Amino acid sequence: MLRTILKNTVWLTLAELINKITGFLIVILLTNYLPLEDFGKYSFAFAFVLIFGIISEFGFSTFLTRDIAKDPDNKQKLKKYLSNISTLKIFLSILTFLLVIFTINLFPKDPDMTTYVYLAAIWVLINSFIQFYEGLFRAYEKMYYEAIIVSLAKISLLVLIFLAVIKKLSLNFIISFYSISYLFALIVIIFIIQKKYTKFSFKFDFDFWKFAIKESWPLGLAFALITIYFYSDTIFLGIFQSNEVVGIYSASYKIVFFLEAFRRLFATSLYPSIPKLYHTSKQTLKELILKTEKLSITFATPLVFGGIFLAEKILLLIFPKEYIAGKLAFQILLLGTFLMYINLTFPQFLHGIRDKKKYLWVIASGAGSNIILNLLLIPKFSMIGAAIATVVSHLLVFITAYTYTNKFLKVKIFKFFLIPVIASVIMILVLYILNTNLIFSITLGFLVYLVTILILRGISMGEIKGLLRKH
């Protein structure tokens, strides 16, 4: 049982890493190909429609996983769920697209932007169906299918974007390629379900629709709050600032988003263990959380210190020189990355023990504060205001989640900060003195930090080997 859980979590981690790596490569291609203004339009269009994708998603994926996992052998039940929710999602997708059309036309954006938003909306709706059907694989604990689907979608998209750059195609084609690659993945996932699980069609069981909506909306609310939490800054920048500002900020944010993907490496053995250990051995769970936090803080501290110190070199290596204007915003966002790493376990804990109310309060505190701070700071401080709003929201989420968690388990993590901070400062001093190129600086910084952290006994070789063995 535990082996299956860990294997499936590793598959999910692999899917997440493929998703983030290919996504980051696409950003590199596009920032070096598109004019800055067009990259800003591209970034705004996707952020805008992802907010509306909440309606089509509605928490149905988690609902499907939860209910089918309770009775996995009941093929009639599976067929009923797939047939009815697929039909319901079509109507919700139409509603979503109409709302996108109505809302984007309220803003004084140019006609090209409106077209980009329409094209991006098609991709969001296709992706919502993929995410729904992936819920079936999670119910049957076949996460390798999810990894296959993610790989097909993202790798095919990367190839199409590369061809678009080679052929010098317009942004219309580039955004359309998202829908094409994901439609291919959707066809494959439907084929797998029809072949391996059950055949389904479109059904109109209105009583079941009411039941599905009633059961799914709390799950959909959590998804909605998370989406707002991560994308509202880009939207407000698009409303109050220029497309160029959106492009610069989004490029910096993509690096941060990529770095945050590695958080999963520290969580693969944690989340599946929470429900069981909370009821059987709270002391073991506490030790597991502390160990995970220690590894996460030890990894994140040099990442953030080094990123802040090398920010200019990093931006110049990856993006054209005009993106260097986002240096300060990037450095501020890296502080948010640090908070995301140290807050790795606490929201997971609340979700794992099924305390939905506290979990939703944690996410709501981030989404609500992010919206308010963006409205206050972006008009005056532009992308710097957006970055500050993001970091403050991350801090509030950490404080809320950490406080709630300590009502159940007394988990003290601040003792883990001192040695990684000392080792990171030594690392920065060495890099400052030598002042070498980026690649050598990263390699040297890693070696200096590793040696220092081992000498100071901040972490042992046994703990490092233990982490590597899990993956």
Side-chain angles (χ1 to χ4, degrees), residues 175-213:
I175 297 178
S176 297
F177 285 157
Y178 275 80
S179 295
I180 292 170
S181 59
Y182 276 68
L183 181 60
F184 170 59
L186 179 59
I187 292 169
V188 171
I189 199 171
I190 291 174
F191 176 79
I192 291 172
I193 292 171
Q194 299 269 14
K195 206 69 171 161
K196 297 287 185 179
Y197 296 97
T198 186
K199 297 187 181 298
F200 66 96
S201 56
F202 298 114
K203 299 291 183 183
F204 296 84
D205 185 336
F206 295 112
D207 289 332
F208 179 79
W209 286 19
K210 292 177 183 177
F211 167 72
I213 291 171

mmCIF file of all heavy atoms in Angstrom, residues 175-213:
data_model
loop_
_atom_site.group_PDB
_atom_site.id
_atom_site.type_symbol
_atom_site.label_atom_id
_atom_site.label_comp_id
_atom_site.label_asym_id
_atom_site.label_seq_id
_atom_site.Cartn_x
_atom_site.Cartn_y
_atom_site.Cartn_z
ATOM 1 N N ILE A 175 -0.537 30.959 -29.798
ATOM 2 C CA ILE A 175 -1.578 30.666 -28.809
ATOM 3 C C ILE A 175 -2.483 29.534 -29.292
ATOM 4 O O ILE A 175 -2.912 28.678 -28.506
ATOM 5 C CB ILE A 175 -2.398 31.938 -28.502
ATOM 6 C CG1 ILE A 175 -1.487 33.003 -27.881
ATOM 7 C CG2 ILE A 175 -3.554 31.626 -27.558
ATOM 8 C CD1 ILE A 175 -2.171 34.318 -27.586
ATOM 9 N N SER A 176 -2.749 29.489 -30.599
ATOM 10 C CA SER A 176 -3.563 28.398 -31.161
ATOM 11 C C SER A 176 -2.902 27.046 -30.975
ATOM 12 O O SER A 176 -3.579 26.023 -30.795
ATOM 13 C CB SER A 176 -3.811 28.648 -32.649
ATOM 14 O OG SER A 176 -4.543 29.827 -32.853
ATOM 15 N N PHE A 177 -1.568 27.018 -30.986
ATOM 16 C CA PHE A 177 -0.852 25.759 -30.824
ATOM 17 C C PHE A 177 -1.097 25.147 -29.443
ATOM 18 O O PHE A 177 -0.993 23.925 -29.279
ATOM 19 C CB PHE A 177 0.650 25.966 -31.051
ATOM 20 C CG PHE A 177 1.021 26.125 -32.505
ATOM 21 C CD1 PHE A 177 2.199 26.764 -32.874
ATOM 22 C CD2 PHE A 177 0.201 25.632 -33.506
ATOM 23 C CE1 PHE A 177 2.548 26.915 -34.204
ATOM 24 C CE2 PHE A 177 0.531 25.769 -34.848
ATOM 25 C CZ PHE A 177 1.711 26.414 -35.201
ATOM 26 N N TYR A 178 -1.408 25.966 -28.454
ATOM 27 C CA TYR A 178 -1.772 25.430 -27.139
ATOM 28 C C TYR A 178 -3.004 24.536 -27.257
ATOM 29 O O TYR A 178 -3.040 23.421 -26.720
ATOM 30 C CB TYR A 178 -2.050 26.577 -26.162
ATOM 31 C CG TYR A 178 -0.825 27.122 -25.478
ATOM 32 C CD1 TYR A 178 0.021 28.023 -26.123
ATOM 33 C CD2 TYR A 178 -0.499 26.734 -24.183
ATOM 34 C CE1 TYR A 178 1.152 28.535 -25.491
ATOM 35 C CE2 TYR A 178 0.626 27.234 -23.541
ATOM 36 C CZ TYR A 178 1.451 28.133 -24.205
ATOM 37 O OH TYR A 178 2.576 28.623 -23.580
ATOM 38 N N SER A 179 -4.011 25.029 -27.957
ATOM 39 C CA SER A 179 -5.243 24.248 -28.118
ATOM 40 C C SER A 179 -4.998 22.987 -28.929
ATOM 41 O O SER A 179 -5.540 21.914 -28.617
ATOM 42 C CB SER A 179 -6.318 25.103 -28.802
ATOM 43 O OG SER A 179 -6.677 26.189 -27.978
ATOM 44 N N ILE A 180 -4.174 23.090 -29.967
ATOM 45 C CA ILE A 180 -3.902 21.935 -30.826
ATOM 46 C C ILE A 180 -3.197 20.829 -30.039
ATOM 47 O O ILE A 180 -3.595 19.651 -30.097
ATOM 48 C CB ILE A 180 -3.059 22.355 -32.045
ATOM 49 C CG1 ILE A 180 -3.883 23.261 -32.966
ATOM 50 C CG2 ILE A 180 -2.558 21.128 -32.811
ATOM 51 C CD1 ILE A 180 -3.078 23.928 -34.064
ATOM 52 N N SER A 181 -2.152 21.178 -29.294
ATOM 53 C CA SER A 181 -1.400 20.159 -28.555
ATOM 54 C C SER A 181 -2.251 19.544 -27.443
ATOM 55 O O SER A 181 -2.195 18.324 -27.209
ATOM 56 C CB SER A 181 -0.115 20.762 -27.977
ATOM 57 O OG SER A 181 -0.406 21.834 -27.115
ATOM 58 N N TYR A 182 -3.039 20.361 -26.767
ATOM 59 C CA TYR A 182 -3.858 19.845 -25.679
ATOM 60 C C TYR A 182 -5.070 19.069 -26.197
ATOM 61 O O TYR A 182 -5.547 18.146 -25.533
ATOM 62 C CB TYR A 182 -4.293 20.975 -24.742
ATOM 63 C CG TYR A 182 -3.243 21.294 -23.706
ATOM 64 C CD1 TYR A 182 -2.028 21.876 -24.066
ATOM 65 C CD2 TYR A 182 -3.433 20.987 -22.370
ATOM 66 C CE1 TYR A 182 -1.046 22.161 -23.129
ATOM 67 C CE2 TYR A 182 -2.470 21.259 -21.414
ATOM 68 C CZ TYR A 182 -1.268 21.850 -21.808
ATOM 69 O OH TYR A 182 -0.294 22.110 -20.872
ATOM 70 N N LEU A 183 -5.559 19.418 -27.373
ATOM 71 C CA LEU A 183 -6.627 18.631 -27.986
ATOM 72 C C LEU A 183 -6.117 17.231 -28.325
ATOM 73 O O LEU A 183 -6.833 16.237 -28.136
ATOM 74 C CB LEU A 183 -7.136 19.327 -29.252
ATOM 75 C CG LEU A 183 -8.289 18.631 -29.993
ATOM 76 C CD1 LEU A 183 -9.513 18.504 -29.084
ATOM 77 C CD2 LEU A 183 -8.650 19.403 -31.263
ATOM 78 N N PHE A 184 -4.896 17.162 -28.789
ATOM 79 C CA PHE A 184 -4.258 15.866 -29.044
ATOM 80 C C PHE A 184 -4.198 15.041 -27.758
ATOM 81 O O PHE A 184 -4.548 13.854 -27.736
ATOM 82 C CB PHE A 184 -2.860 16.095 -29.620
ATOM 83 C CG PHE A 184 -2.008 14.865 -29.697
ATOM 84 C CD1 PHE A 184 -2.402 13.754 -30.440
ATOM 85 C CD2 PHE A 184 -0.793 14.800 -29.013
ATOM 86 C CE1 PHE A 184 -1.611 12.609 -30.492
ATOM 87 C CE2 PHE A 184 0.008 13.670 -29.065
ATOM 88 C CZ PHE A 184 -0.409 12.569 -29.808
ATOM 89 N N ALA A 185 -3.774 15.668 -26.666
ATOM 90 C CA ALA A 185 -3.705 14.977 -25.374
ATOM 91 C C ALA A 185 -5.094 14.554 -24.891
ATOM 92 O O ALA A 185 -5.259 13.475 -24.310
ATOM 93 C CB ALA A 185 -3.043 15.878 -24.336
ATOM 94 N N LEU A 186 -6.102 15.405 -25.135
ATOM 95 C CA LEU A 186 -7.479 15.074 -24.732
ATOM 96 C C LEU A 186 -7.983 13.850 -25.488
ATOM 97 O O LEU A 186 -8.625 12.966 -24.898
ATOM 98 C CB LEU A 186 -8.392 16.272 -25.004
ATOM 99 C CG LEU A 186 -9.874 16.075 -24.668
ATOM 100 C CD1 LEU A 186 -10.072 15.740 -23.198
ATOM 101 C CD2 LEU A 186 -10.676 17.329 -25.049
ATOM 102 N N ILE A 187 -7.704 13.772 -26.778
ATOM 103 C CA ILE A 187 -8.112 12.605 -27.576
ATOM 104 C C ILE A 187 -7.454 11.342 -27.030
ATOM 105 O O ILE A 187 -8.100 10.288 -26.900
ATOM 106 C CB ILE A 187 -7.741 12.815 -29.061
ATOM 107 C CG1 ILE A 187 -8.602 13.932 -29.658
ATOM 108 C CG2 ILE A 187 -7.932 11.525 -29.862
ATOM 109 C CD1 ILE A 187 -8.156 14.398 -31.026
ATOM 110 N N VAL A 188 -6.182 11.435 -26.681
ATOM 111 C CA VAL A 188 -5.460 10.274 -26.143
ATOM 112 C C VAL A 188 -6.048 9.838 -24.807
ATOM 113 O O VAL A 188 -6.261 8.643 -24.571
ATOM 114 C CB VAL A 188 -3.955 10.597 -25.983
ATOM 115 C CG1 VAL A 188 -3.239 9.474 -25.230
ATOM 116 C CG2 VAL A 188 -3.307 10.816 -27.342
ATOM 117 N N ILE A 189 -6.356 10.799 -23.936
ATOM 118 C CA ILE A 189 -6.872 10.434 -22.610
ATOM 119 C C ILE A 189 -8.271 9.811 -22.715
ATOM 120 O O ILE A 189 -8.591 8.865 -21.987
ATOM 121 C CB ILE A 189 -6.873 11.674 -21.676
ATOM 122 C CG1 ILE A 189 -6.950 11.237 -20.214
ATOM 123 C CG2 ILE A 189 -8.022 12.614 -21.952
ATOM 124 C CD1 ILE A 189 -6.733 12.380 -19.221
ATOM 125 N N ILE A 190 -9.096 10.306 -23.625
ATOM 126 C CA ILE A 190 -10.423 9.702 -23.833
ATOM 127 C C ILE A 190 -10.264 8.286 -24.380
ATOM 128 O O ILE A 190 -10.980 7.356 -23.962
ATOM 129 C CB ILE A 190 -11.271 10.570 -24.786
ATOM 130 C CG1 ILE A 190 -11.646 11.880 -24.087
ATOM 131 C CG2 ILE A 190 -12.526 9.821 -25.226
ATOM 132 C CD1 ILE A 190 -12.360 12.864 -24.991
ATOM 133 N N PHE A 191 -9.310 8.098 -25.282
ATOM 134 C CA PHE A 191 -9.046 6.760 -25.840
ATOM 135 C C PHE A 191 -8.626 5.788 -24.745
ATOM 136 O O PHE A 191 -9.106 4.648 -24.695
ATOM 137 C CB PHE A 191 -7.968 6.864 -26.920
ATOM 138 C CG PHE A 191 -7.555 5.536 -27.493
ATOM 139 C CD1 PHE A 191 -8.337 4.893 -28.435
ATOM 140 C CD2 PHE A 191 -6.379 4.906 -27.062
ATOM 141 C CE1 PHE A 191 -7.972 3.653 -28.959
ATOM 142 C CE2 PHE A 191 -5.992 3.683 -27.563
ATOM 143 C CZ PHE A 191 -6.791 3.045 -28.524
ATOM 144 N N ILE A 192 -7.744 6.220 -23.855
ATOM 145 C CA ILE A 192 -7.277 5.359 -22.756
ATOM 146 C C ILE A 192 -8.447 4.971 -21.851
ATOM 147 O O ILE A 192 -8.599 3.803 -21.469
ATOM 148 C CB ILE A 192 -6.183 6.074 -21.937
ATOM 149 C CG1 ILE A 192 -4.904 6.222 -22.768
ATOM 150 C CG2 ILE A 192 -5.884 5.295 -20.647
ATOM 151 C CD1 ILE A 192 -3.847 7.082 -22.095
ATOM 152 N N ILE A 193 -9.292 5.950 -21.518
ATOM 153 C CA ILE A 193 -10.434 5.675 -20.632
ATOM 154 C C ILE A 193 -11.405 4.697 -21.291
ATOM 155 O O ILE A 193 -11.868 3.734 -20.665
ATOM 156 C CB ILE A 193 -11.157 6.988 -20.260
ATOM 157 C CG1 ILE A 193 -10.248 7.848 -19.368
ATOM 158 C CG2 ILE A 193 -12.479 6.693 -19.538
ATOM 159 C CD1 ILE A 193 -10.782 9.246 -19.115
ATOM 160 N N GLN A 194 -11.719 4.942 -22.568
ATOM 161 C CA GLN A 194 -12.657 4.062 -23.285
ATOM 162 C C GLN A 194 -12.094 2.647 -23.421
ATOM 163 O O GLN A 194 -12.836 1.665 -23.382
ATOM 164 C CB GLN A 194 -12.927 4.628 -24.688
ATOM 165 C CG GLN A 194 -13.547 6.004 -24.704
ATOM 166 C CD GLN A 194 -15.072 5.983 -24.710
ATOM 167 O OE1 GLN A 194 -15.680 4.951 -24.439
ATOM 168 N NE2 GLN A 194 -15.683 7.111 -24.983
ATOM 169 N N LYS A 195 -10.782 2.538 -23.550
ATOM 170 C CA LYS A 195 -10.147 1.247 -23.778
ATOM 171 C C LYS A 195 -9.910 0.491 -22.478
ATOM 172 O O LYS A 195 -10.131 -0.723 -22.406
ATOM 173 C CB LYS A 195 -8.813 1.487 -24.489
ATOM 174 C CG LYS A 195 -8.285 0.370 -25.349
ATOM 175 C CD LYS A 195 -9.105 0.157 -26.589
ATOM 176 C CE LYS A 195 -8.363 -0.824 -27.504
ATOM 177 N NZ LYS A 195 -9.283 -1.417 -28.501
ATOM 178 N N LYS A 196 -9.466 1.201 -21.429
ATOM 179 C CA LYS A 196 -9.030 0.546 -20.205
ATOM 180 C C LYS A 196 -10.085 0.511 -19.097
ATOM 181 O O LYS A 196 -10.016 -0.344 -18.200
ATOM 182 C CB LYS A 196 -7.784 1.266 -19.662
ATOM 183 C CG LYS A 196 -6.573 1.222 -20.584
ATOM 184 C CD LYS A 196 -5.938 -0.155 -20.598
ATOM 185 C CE LYS A 196 -4.651 -0.165 -21.419
ATOM 186 N NZ LYS A 196 -4.018 -1.506 -21.416
ATOM 187 N N TYR A 197 -11.050 1.436 -19.133
ATOM 188 C CA TYR A 197 -11.972 1.569 -18.002
ATOM 189 C C TYR A 197 -13.434 1.362 -18.399
ATOM 190 O O TYR A 197 -14.044 0.381 -18.014
ATOM 191 C CB TYR A 197 -11.766 2.930 -17.321
ATOM 192 C CG TYR A 197 -10.392 3.050 -16.711
ATOM 193 C CD1 TYR A 197 -9.354 3.690 -17.382
ATOM 194 C CD2 TYR A 197 -10.124 2.504 -15.453
ATOM 195 C CE1 TYR A 197 -8.074 3.778 -16.826
ATOM 196 C CE2 TYR A 197 -8.860 2.597 -14.887
ATOM 197 C CZ TYR A 197 -7.831 3.229 -15.591
ATOM 198 O OH TYR A 197 -6.585 3.308 -15.043
ATOM 199 N N THR A 198 -14.010 2.306 -19.122
ATOM 200 C CA THR A 198 -15.404 2.158 -19.530
ATOM 201 C C THR A 198 -15.708 3.091 -20.689
ATOM 202 O O THR A 198 -15.055 4.130 -20.847
ATOM 203 C CB THR A 198 -16.364 2.485 -18.362
ATOM 204 O OG1 THR A 198 -17.700 2.193 -18.752
ATOM 205 C CG2 THR A 198 -16.288 3.961 -17.981
ATOM 206 N N LYS A 199 -16.665 2.702 -21.507
ATOM 207 C CA LYS A 199 -17.116 3.582 -22.582
ATOM 208 C C LYS A 199 -18.176 4.517 -22.014
ATOM 209 O O LYS A 199 -19.029 4.099 -21.234
ATOM 210 C CB LYS A 199 -17.670 2.762 -23.745
ATOM 211 C CG LYS A 199 -16.626 1.862 -24.405
ATOM 212 C CD LYS A 199 -17.194 1.196 -25.656
ATOM 213 C CE LYS A 199 -16.153 0.271 -26.290
ATOM 214 N NZ LYS A 199 -14.948 0.978 -26.734
ATOM 215 N N PHE A 200 -18.136 5.759 -22.420
ATOM 216 C CA PHE A 200 -19.125 6.719 -21.915
ATOM 217 C C PHE A 200 -19.552 7.647 -23.043
ATOM 218 O O PHE A 200 -18.871 7.779 -24.066
ATOM 219 C CB PHE A 200 -18.558 7.519 -20.736
ATOM 220 C CG PHE A 200 -17.407 8.420 -21.089
ATOM 221 C CD1 PHE A 200 -17.623 9.762 -21.369
ATOM 222 C CD2 PHE A 200 -16.102 7.935 -21.128
ATOM 223 C CE1 PHE A 200 -16.564 10.598 -21.686
ATOM 224 C CE2 PHE A 200 -15.043 8.773 -21.435
ATOM 225 C CZ PHE A 200 -15.266 10.101 -21.718
ATOM 226 N N SER A 201 -20.707 8.258 -22.852
ATOM 227 C CA SER A 201 -21.250 9.184 -23.851
ATOM 228 C C SER A 201 -21.822 10.382 -23.092
ATOM 229 O O SER A 201 -21.536 10.588 -21.918
ATOM 230 C CB SER A 201 -22.315 8.488 -24.699
ATOM 231 O OG SER A 201 -23.325 7.949 -23.868
ATOM 232 N N PHE A 202 -22.659 11.161 -23.735
ATOM 233 C CA PHE A 202 -23.244 12.337 -23.083
ATOM 234 C C PHE A 202 -24.618 11.997 -22.516
ATOM 235 O O PHE A 202 -25.475 11.440 -23.208
ATOM 236 C CB PHE A 202 -23.349 13.491 -24.080
ATOM 237 C CG PHE A 202 -22.010 13.940 -24.599
ATOM 238 C CD1 PHE A 202 -21.673 13.764 -25.932
ATOM 239 C CD2 PHE A 202 -21.090 14.518 -23.752
ATOM 240 C CE1 PHE A 202 -20.434 14.164 -26.408
ATOM 241 C CE2 PHE A 202 -19.856 14.926 -24.210
ATOM 242 C CZ PHE A 202 -19.515 14.746 -25.540
ATOM 243 N N LYS A 203 -24.840 12.325 -21.238
ATOM 244 C CA LYS A 203 -26.089 12.027 -20.547
ATOM 245 C C LYS A 203 -26.635 13.284 -19.875
ATOM 246 O O LYS A 203 -25.884 14.195 -19.510
ATOM 247 C CB LYS A 203 -25.866 10.939 -19.486
ATOM 248 C CG LYS A 203 -25.372 9.607 -20.036
ATOM 249 C CD LYS A 203 -26.448 8.899 -20.858
ATOM 250 C CE LYS A 203 -25.950 7.539 -21.335
ATOM 251 N NZ LYS A 203 -26.954 6.854 -22.198
ATOM 252 N N PHE A 204 -27.978 13.309 -19.683
ATOM 253 C CA PHE A 204 -28.656 14.456 -19.079
ATOM 254 C C PHE A 204 -29.469 14.014 -17.869
ATOM 255 O O PHE A 204 -30.685 13.949 -17.912
ATOM 256 C CB PHE A 204 -29.573 15.139 -20.094
ATOM 257 C CG PHE A 204 -28.859 15.748 -21.265
ATOM 258 C CD1 PHE A 204 -28.526 14.976 -22.364
ATOM 259 C CD2 PHE A 204 -28.512 17.090 -21.268
ATOM 260 C CE1 PHE A 204 -27.866 15.530 -23.451
ATOM 261 C CE2 PHE A 204 -27.856 17.660 -22.340
ATOM 262 C CZ PHE A 204 -27.528 16.872 -23.441
ATOM 263 N N ASP A 205 -28.784 13.655 -16.811
ATOM 264 C CA ASP A 205 -29.446 13.288 -15.567
ATOM 265 C C ASP A 205 -29.396 14.521 -14.657
ATOM 266 O O ASP A 205 -28.429 14.741 -13.939
ATOM 267 C CB ASP A 205 -28.730 12.103 -14.919
ATOM 268 C CG ASP A 205 -29.443 11.586 -13.678
ATOM 269 O OD1 ASP A 205 -30.193 12.368 -13.060
ATOM 270 O OD2 ASP A 205 -29.214 10.425 -13.305
ATOM 271 N N PHE A 206 -30.450 15.332 -14.682
ATOM 272 C CA PHE A 206 -30.424 16.624 -13.993
ATOM 273 C C PHE A 206 -30.339 16.484 -12.469
ATOM 274 O O PHE A 206 -29.743 17.333 -11.793
ATOM 275 C CB PHE A 206 -31.639 17.455 -14.393
ATOM 276 C CG PHE A 206 -31.642 17.827 -15.852
ATOM 277 C CD1 PHE A 206 -32.584 17.290 -16.717
ATOM 278 C CD2 PHE A 206 -30.693 18.699 -16.364
ATOM 279 C CE1 PHE A 206 -32.584 17.618 -18.063
ATOM 280 C CE2 PHE A 206 -30.681 19.044 -17.703
ATOM 281 C CZ PHE A 206 -31.631 18.503 -18.564
ATOM 282 N N ASP A 207 -30.924 15.422 -11.939
ATOM 283 C CA ASP A 207 -30.807 15.192 -10.499
ATOM 284 C C ASP A 207 -29.349 14.925 -10.118
ATOM 285 O O ASP A 207 -28.863 15.417 -9.088
ATOM 286 C CB ASP A 207 -31.684 14.005 -10.071
ATOM 287 C CG ASP A 207 -33.164 14.335 -10.116
ATOM 288 O OD1 ASP A 207 -33.492 15.534 -9.955
ATOM 289 O OD2 ASP A 207 -33.973 13.412 -10.308
ATOM 290 N N PHE A 208 -28.672 14.162 -10.958
ATOM 291 C CA PHE A 208 -27.250 13.905 -10.692
ATOM 292 C C PHE A 208 -26.433 15.185 -10.858
ATOM 293 O O PHE A 208 -25.475 15.415 -10.115
ATOM 294 C CB PHE A 208 -26.713 12.816 -11.626
ATOM 295 C CG PHE A 208 -25.247 12.525 -11.425
ATOM 296 C CD1 PHE A 208 -24.831 11.729 -10.369
ATOM 297 C CD2 PHE A 208 -24.285 13.091 -12.260
ATOM 298 C CE1 PHE A 208 -23.487 11.484 -10.156
ATOM 299 C CE2 PHE A 208 -22.946 12.855 -12.054
ATOM 300 C CZ PHE A 208 -22.538 12.036 -11.002
ATOM 301 N N TRP A 209 -26.785 16.014 -11.825
ATOM 302 C CA TRP A 209 -26.085 17.289 -12.022
ATOM 303 C C TRP A 209 -26.158 18.130 -10.744
ATOM 304 O O TRP A 209 -25.150 18.708 -10.330
ATOM 305 C CB TRP A 209 -26.714 18.063 -13.182
ATOM 306 C CG TRP A 209 -26.377 17.510 -14.539
ATOM 307 C CD1 TRP A 209 -25.910 16.263 -14.834
ATOM 308 C CD2 TRP A 209 -26.519 18.196 -15.782
ATOM 309 N NE1 TRP A 209 -25.754 16.124 -16.186
ATOM 310 C CE2 TRP A 209 -26.118 17.289 -16.793
ATOM 311 C CE3 TRP A 209 -26.972 19.454 -16.150
ATOM 312 C CZ2 TRP A 209 -26.140 17.630 -18.149
ATOM 313 C CZ3 TRP A 209 -26.991 19.793 -17.492
ATOM 314 C CH2 TRP A 209 -26.577 18.899 -18.489
ATOM 315 N N LYS A 210 -27.360 18.184 -10.153
ATOM 316 C CA LYS A 210 -27.515 18.950 -8.909
ATOM 317 C C LYS A 210 -26.637 18.375 -7.796
ATOM 318 O O LYS A 210 -25.992 19.107 -7.045
ATOM 319 C CB LYS A 210 -28.983 18.938 -8.459
ATOM 320 C CG LYS A 210 -29.924 19.699 -9.377
ATOM 321 C CD LYS A 210 -31.362 19.561 -8.896
ATOM 322 C CE LYS A 210 -32.337 20.245 -9.848
ATOM 323 N NZ LYS A 210 -33.745 20.047 -9.410
ATOM 324 N N PHE A 211 -26.610 17.042 -7.730
ATOM 325 C CA PHE A 211 -25.795 16.365 -6.729
ATOM 326 C C PHE A 211 -24.310 16.662 -6.952
ATOM 327 O O PHE A 211 -23.573 16.974 -6.002
ATOM 328 C CB PHE A 211 -26.047 14.854 -6.795
ATOM 329 C CG PHE A 211 -25.060 14.025 -6.032
ATOM 330 C CD1 PHE A 211 -25.063 14.012 -4.639
ATOM 331 C CD2 PHE A 211 -24.108 13.263 -6.704
ATOM 332 C CE1 PHE A 211 -24.143 13.239 -3.935
ATOM 333 C CE2 PHE A 211 -23.182 12.498 -6.009
ATOM 334 C CZ PHE A 211 -23.207 12.479 -4.618
ATOM 335 N N ALA A 212 -23.869 16.588 -8.195
ATOM 336 C CA ALA A 212 -22.459 16.818 -8.525
ATOM 337 C C ALA A 212 -22.039 18.250 -8.197
ATOM 338 O O ALA A 212 -20.960 18.482 -7.650
ATOM 339 C CB ALA A 212 -22.214 16.512 -10.005
ATOM 340 N N ILE A 213 -22.896 19.203 -8.535
ATOM 341 C CA ILE A 213 -22.587 20.613 -8.244
ATOM 342 C C ILE A 213 -22.532 20.852 -6.741
ATOM 343 O O ILE A 213 -21.626 21.534 -6.230
ATOM 344 C CB ILE A 213 -23.624 21.535 -8.910
ATOM 345 C CG1 ILE A 213 -23.466 21.500 -10.434
ATOM 346 C CG2 ILE A 213 -23.496 22.969 -8.395
ATOM 347 C CD1 ILE A 213 -24.577 22.201 -11.192
#
